[in-house]
Amino acid sequence: MEAVSPSPSDAPPLPKPTGGKAVAADRAAGGTAGERYHDRVASWLTAFAMAWSIIGMTAGVYVAAELVWPTIDFGREWLSYGRLRTLHTNAVIFGFGVSALMGTAFYSVQRTCHVPLFAPRLAWFCALAWQAGVLAGGISLLAGWNGGKEYAELEWPFDIAITVVWVCFAIVFFGTIAKRRIKPIYVSNWFYGGLIIVIAMLHLVNSLAIPVTLSKSYSLFAGAQDAIVQWWYGHNAVGFLLTGGFLGMLYYFLPKHAGRPIWSYRLSIVAFWAFTYSYIWAGPHHLHYNAVPEWVQSLGMVMSLVLLAPSWATLVNGVMTVAGAWEKLRTDPALKFIVLSLAFYGLATFEGPMMSIRSVNVVSHFTDWTIGHVHSGALGWNAMITFGAFYFLVPRLMGASLHSVRLANIHFWLALAGTMLYILAMWGAGVSQGLLWLSLDDIGELSFSFKDIMASMAPYYALRLVAGLIFLSGALLMAYNLAMTGKGRRTVAASPPATAAA
Amino acid sequence: MSDALGLSALPRLVTQPMAVFKALSESAPEGHRVFFQLILPLSLIPPVLAYVGGSAFGWRLGGGEPLMMPAQSLTLISLAYFFAMVFGLVSSAAVSAWMAATYGAQRAFGTHLALAGLVAAPVILASAAHLAPHVFINMLVLIPALIWSLYLLYRGLPEALAIPPERGMLMATALAGYLLVAIVSLLGITVALWSGGIGPAIGV
Ligand code: HEM
Ligand code: HEM
């Protein structure tokens, strides 16, 4: 029994200090003959992720400012809203999000399998080629290359490069799993594995296109089919990357921080499969009242409602795991971020199913309510949990204590305030837009002109700009704090535990 | 309930907030007294002010002329607002009481109810801005008040329920999560009612 369903207590292994002494002790125990985890690649990915978060959020702040002062593109194409907005989404999702996921996946898969990475050179290739790809991709977006599919804007040469890197990622990750010394596969690896497989599938299908020139290609799909494929991609990218991938992070780092096993390991596995099954069907909720068959829309809506169950099962699991570990909050500033990220995860996964109801979506669609929903997930969940994971990870990777706990605490309040203000501003803007756009007067004409409504959004957009600045300043504090923590240090060497059962 | 916790306590939420929460933790007020002395009066404030402001000046959501509503719809909206306030405060207290077991914070229901009222008080009092029914002005006033309320939630909760601040942080975050979900549900229900033909005339 023990071997088939991992008892929560052995998965993941309890926190193991990686300071010099502990390593020496491990080595003295001598079981795994000089084997070392490959952690330097994780350190670098952490640094890259921080850099992308700042680049991406700065672009976000700039586009937020352009919505308040439309002329600050100064007539330059590369500063225009359309290009910078795309840079923003690509830098935060693929630069920040994927680097963070790749780094934490490399770090945690070794520790949950008790073996060093399979093909460490390939892991380095993955990490560096990904950075080069996102960097060149970002520049190509600024130059105006754009495939026209949201979250898949990069043109076909990049699509091919992404495929190569992703296959390498899969080889390293599943190779490590294959040579594991612990029989059960810990739940975080299910989520990271799901991320790798599903994104590969989505990317391959959605990017099928006929190249015309180096910088232009046309999708193989047309019309309503193109729309369905695109949102099958778009929604599952949200599902398996921004939600599932980060749940992998949650399932590794939360029990580590808390120093206790997941509240219900069985629930986490059941939720994984329910989540994987239902997410795949939910894409059409992005296409309500569009030229796709009505039954497809209804299917998307029903599956979105079903999704609430596995999403909140995970929420309960997380909340109950920390509830018993509150004493840890005294010594661990980073646990707070994870606690807060759970609250926003709960919000985003409740709000999403609600917005997929057709009679709600008919008002919310096209409004800033959607943008608010996006950022309750993006800031409140994705960014917050990554911050929590990094505040935990970097001191361990560097074998030093965090440079300043006080700065981390200040960052916590900045992150909370920034996220709250962002969401509230967008709720206000979204509901007003929905009402004003659709209001009819006595003779059935629209009551307000689009232009006037747009102009009246200025206060909300100004508030969002302030919120973004607050959030960004927190991230800057964090980057400084982590840089000082690692200053002049190298990644400490850590080994798999000697007692690992074969 | 001692007078220290009625409406008269509200000014002290600004001057010595922690003293108010400490006083709450030392008393075990009865639920119905808190309801009539604190929750009900607080819940009346925003709808009444919104009615006065709306009937005198009309609401400016932006987009041209202020929205002047007939007295009847204004009354209906204010009533709905009132019930939403009562529901929000009582349900938060209920959720707080329900979660208390997990965080070792079991207290009389009245304590949870008073906590909800006190934490919400800054935002409720800031609804004085409804007298000038302009979205921008309301935002300027309500947002600092909201930040103050959040501060009171995180600092006041462990004090009032007499639990360690770390456990208080967890419980406060869980409550904030509940509130966000409650607010977004309210938005969703409102919007779904509009598309069902109840409320303002919209073309869907
Ligand atoms: C159960 C979970 C969720 C469901 C059912 C859901 C549902 C929805 C719906 C209905 C929309 C609006 C579609 C439209 O009107 O155009 C949407 C948009 C979006 N959601 Fe979610 N959501 C969920 C969770 C999340 C999470 C956790 C994130 C994380 C960041 C997220 C990110 C997004 C993004 C980025 C969009 C915007 C897509 C676009 O560009 O139009 N969602 N979601
Ligand atoms: C300082 C923080 C941030 C600011 C100020 C910001 C600002 C913005 C702005 C102004 C937009 C365009 C909205 C519109 O077109 O109306 C946007 C879109 C978007 N942002 Fe952010 N953002 C920030 C952080 C993030 C992060 C960390 C993520 C992801 C992890 C993210 C993901 C997105 C996505 C996916 C969209 C597209 C939404 C859609 O098309 O529906 N943002 N952001």
Side-chain angles (χ1 to χ4, degrees), chain A residues 326 330 354 359 438 448 459-460, chain B residues 63 135-136 166-167 184 195 201 203:
Chain A
W326 55 274
R330 256 182 218 149
M354 207 180 74
S359 58
L438 295 168
F448 306 101
Y460 298 109
Chain B
V135 170
F136 188 50
E166 290 79 14
R167 276 190 122 167
V184 86
S195 22

Side-chain angles (χ1 to χ4, degrees), chain A residues 319-320 322-323 326 329-330 336 339-340 343-344 347 350-351 354 359-360 362-363 369 412-413 416 420-421 424 427 431 435-436 438-440 448 452 456 459-460 463, chain B residues 61-65 67 102-103 135-136 139 143 146-147 150 154 164 166-167 169-170 173 176-177 180-181 183-185 187-188 191-192 194-195 200-204:
Chain A
V319 168
M320 295 313 286
V322 274
W326 55 274
L329 277 166
R330 256 182 218 149
K336 276 192 210 162
V339 171
L340 192 60
F344 285 106
L347 169 64
F350 181 88
E351 188 179 29
M354 207 180 74
S359 58
V360 175
V362 71
V363 178
W369 190 349
F412 174 81
W413 291 108
L416 173 58
M420 284 287 215
L421 291 183
L424 291 175
W427 279 346
V431 174
L435 180 61
L436 295 172
L438 295 168
S439 280
L440 300 180
F448 306 101
D452 288 346
S456 71
Y460 298 109
L463 180 60
Chain B
L61 289 174
E65 290 301 296
L67 212 58
T102 305
Y103 300 102
V135 170
F136 188 50
M139 256 169 47
I143 281 169
L146 183 85
I147 290 177
L150 264 181
Y154 276 87
E166 290 79 14
R167 276 190 122 167
M169 190 270 161
L170 292 180
T173 306
L180 286 168
V181 167
I183 295 171
V184 86
S185 309
L187 292 184
V191 161
W194 292 349
S195 22
I202 59 170
V204 292

Side-chain angles (χ1 to χ4, degrees), chain A residues 87-448:
Chain A
L87 178 73
H88 165 59
T89 55
N90 279 269
V92 289
I93 298 175
F94 300 114
F96 170 59
V98 172
S99 302
L101 289 171
M102 205 184 260
T104 52
F106 286 165
Y107 180 87
S108 65
V109 72
Q110 306 184 81
R111 284 160 176 80
T112 48
C113 293
H114 286 187
V115 285
L117 280 183
F118 174 75
R121 287 227 182 85
L122 202 60
W124 273 106
F125 167 76
C126 243
L128 298 177
W130 187 262
Q131 306 310 318
V134 181
L135 184 64
I139 294 170
S140 81
L141 291 171
L142 289 184
W145 295 22
N146 192 321
K149 288 191 162 204
E150 201 178 10
Y151 311 125
E153 291 91 350
L154 296 179
E155 269 298 348
W156 66 274
F158 293 102
D159 286 340
I160 294 174
I162 290 171
T163 310
V164 172
V165 176
W166 209 260
V167 168
C168 300
F169 186 14
I171 294 174
V172 174
F173 185 83
F174 290 113
T176 310
I177 301 260
K179 66 171 189 165
R180 69 188 184 280
R181 292 209 185 91
I182 294 186
K183 186 126 182 282
I185 299 176
Y186 180 63
V187 59
S188 64
N189 293 325
W190 287 95
F191 279 100
Y192 281 120
L195 157 79
I196 294 172
I197 291 173
V198 176
I199 295 296
M201 171 178 94
L202 300 172
H203 174 71
L204 282 179
V205 175
N206 191 44
S207 305
L208 289 177
I210 302 170
V212 189
T213 63
L214 183 66
S215 63
K216 190 68 220 156
S217 63
Y218 289 95
S219 173
L220 216 56
F221 310 100
Q225 280 169 8
D226 189 41
I228 291 180
V229 171
Q230 157 63 21
W231 283 107
W232 170 75
Y233 164 87
H235 183 71
N236 289 300
V238 168
F240 288 86
L241 203 157
L242 294 179
T243 312
F246 285 86
L247 283 176
M249 203 186 266
L250 176 79
Y251 273 124
Y252 180 76
F253 286 96
L254 177 65
K256 277 294 229 185
H257 270 286
R260 69 204 310 264
I262 288 287
W263 181 64
S264 164
Y265 191 78
R266 184 181 302 269
L267 183 62
S268 73
I269 295 289
V270 171
F272 169 79
W273 287 108
F275 171 93
T276 304
Y277 176 75
S278 29
Y279 234 110
I280 287 285
W281 302 94
H285 66 217
H286 292 268
L287 297 167
H288 281 332
Y289 298 99
N290 256 304
V292 304
E294 196 163 323
W295 67 267
V296 176
Q297 302 176 26
S298 303
L299 177 73
M301 166 175 142
V302 170
M303 288 318 250
S304 307
L305 291 169
V306 170
L307 251 181
L308 182 61
S311 305
W312 275 42
T314 304
L315 174 66
V316 170
N317 219 348
V319 168
M320 295 313 286
T321 305
V322 274
W326 55 274
E327 273 137 333
K328 286 272 171 178
L329 277 166
R330 256 182 218 149
T331 47
D332 183 352
L335 187 52
K336 276 192 210 162
F337 283 90
I338 297 197
V339 171
L340 192 60
S341 79
L342 277 171
F344 285 106
Y345 167 83
L347 169 64
T349 54
F350 181 88
E351 188 179 29
M354 207 180 74
M355 292 172 78
S356 67
I357 300 172
R358 277 159 43 102
S359 58
V360 175
N361 195 268
V362 71
V363 178
S364 73
H365 189 70
F366 295 129
T367 70
D368 278 310
W369 190 349
T370 305
I371 305 299
H373 164 68
V374 169
H375 290 86
S376 51
L379 304 180
W381 159 238
N382 301 138
M384 211 80 83
I385 188 164
T386 307
F387 295 162
F390 283 6
Y391 276 125
F392 176 89
L393 190 57
V394 171
R396 277 165 183 75
L397 284 169
M398 294 296 139
S401 48
L402 188 65
H403 170 68
S404 164
V405 171
R406 209 171 72 91
L407 282 186
N409 282 328
I410 296 175
H411 179 195
F412 174 81
W413 291 108
L414 292 174
L416 173 58
T419 310
M420 284 287 215
L421 291 183
Y422 197 122
I423 298 174
L424 291 175
M426 292 298 100
W427 279 346
V431 174
S432 319
Q433 281 163 343
L435 180 61
L436 295 172
W437 285 344
L438 295 168
S439 280
L440 300 180
D441 61 17
D442 297 338
I443 51 168
E445 303 265 348
L446 289 177
S447 309
F448 306 101

